[in-house]
Amino acid sequence: MTDRDYAIKSMKEITFQMASHAQDYLEVTMERHYTDIKELMTSYQKLILENQIVLEELDMECQEKINEDMAYALSYLSIYNNQLNVPKMHREMNNLMIIYGLSDMIYRGMTLVKFYAPNGVMLSEILHSCFCSHYNKTDMEVQQELGIGRTSFYKMKKQALGYLGFYFYEIVVPQAKDKRFKPSLGVEEE
């Protein structure tokens, strides 16, 4: 399912949420979610960067020790080493699954921003550049990369986080709780 298909499937919920609330309530809700999503996205950015560093270190270690990449090492790990710390591997696997689930939900929220927020393509670019990059970009780097002035950038960044917060907490999280939605695809079962 493409991003556009997911956005179309979610349209009914978005229009219901928007129509059921007055504009003032919508602005208050977006402002309330703004602080929550800003904190979440800052933590998410740190999580991505930390895991990227760990994965790169593991891959370099595999290259040094067996002259192969990490995927090769993992596929043959059980053959060459029977003394594995299984509980540690289970914890690490659970952590990876949590990160994957969170990443999927954030990506779905960003997809809704892209398709339904005013100037959504630019707002989703700002979100991606600020919070989903594999290295920590400064706001000035993002401004220059996107060709936006300082004042406009900060206004748009706040708008992007507000819309993301609204869509994330009002649409994506309830969908994740709904058993009809598959967690990794965001589509309804038929």
Side-chain angles (χ1 to χ4, degrees):
M1 171 167 281
T2 65
D3 293 346
R4 185 171 173 78
D5 293 337
Y6 169 72
I8 290 169
K9 286 225 180 246
S10 297
M11 182 60 178
K12 182 171 57 171
E13 289 181 51
I14 291 167
T15 52
F16 175 75
Q17 288 289 344
M18 298 291 221
S20 65
H21 303 302
Q23 185 64 28
D24 293 338
Y25 179 78
L26 181 63
E27 290 173 10
V28 170
T29 304
M30 285 177 61
E31 187 65 34
R32 180 173 43 99
H33 290 313
Y34 168 79
T35 53
D36 295 338
I37 201 71
K38 184 176 180 182
E39 188 176 314
L40 176 69
M41 292 303 287
T42 302
S43 299
Y44 178 69
Q45 180 185 29
K46 291 176 187 173
L47 186 68
I48 288 175
L49 293 174
E50 288 171 6
N51 284 299
Q52 182 69 24
I53 291 168
V54 169
L55 290 173
E56 288 171 359
E57 288 172 353
L58 287 171
D59 202 38
M60 286 182 355
E61 187 177 335
C62 288
Q63 288 290 344
E64 290 172 7
K65 292 193 178 190
I66 63 172
N67 201 24
E68 291 288 343
D69 64 5
M70 190 170 56
Y72 175 86
L74 289 173
S75 67
Y76 290 96
L77 189 62
S78 61
I79 296 170
Y80 294 116
N81 188 357
N82 293 330
Q83 299 172 351
L84 299 175
N85 186 346
V86 176
K88 181 181 178 188
M89 289 181 71
H90 279 289
R91 279 193 309 276
E92 292 300 319
M93 184 55 97
N94 286 338
N95 287 341
L96 286 174
M97 294 307 290
I98 290 169
I99 292 167
Y100 176 75
L102 178 62
S103 295
D104 182 59
M105 290 175 68
I106 288 173
Y107 183 75
R108 287 192 280 152
M110 289 175 62
T111 298
L112 295 176
V113 169
K114 180 179 180 179
F115 286 102
Y116 294 113
N119 202 11
V121 174
M122 180 59 81
L123 296 179
S124 66
E125 285 290 323
I126 289 171
L127 289 170
H128 189 271
S129 294
C130 288
F131 299 106
C132 300
S133 178
H134 290 293
Y135 73 94
N136 196 3
K137 294 181 183 178
T138 64
D139 285 346
M140 184 173 281
E141 288 176 318
V142 176
Q143 286 173 241
Q144 291 173 349
E145 182 181 294
L146 298 175
I148 304 172
R150 185 175 192 270
T151 305
S152 297
F153 170 76
Y154 285 110
K155 182 180 176 185
M156 291 175 84
K157 183 178 176 182
K158 184 172 181 169
Q159 277 182 326
L161 285 168
Y163 280 110
L164 179 61
F166 178 79
Y167 293 137
F168 185 81
Y169 291 111
E170 300 292 325
I171 306 296
V172 176
V173 171
Q175 282 179 347
K177 292 178 183 177
D178 188 351
K179 300 292 186 217
R180 296 177 304 140
F181 277 83
K182 296 178 183 177
S184 63
L185 300 176
V187 296
E188 292 183 44
E189 290 181 359
E190 299 187 74

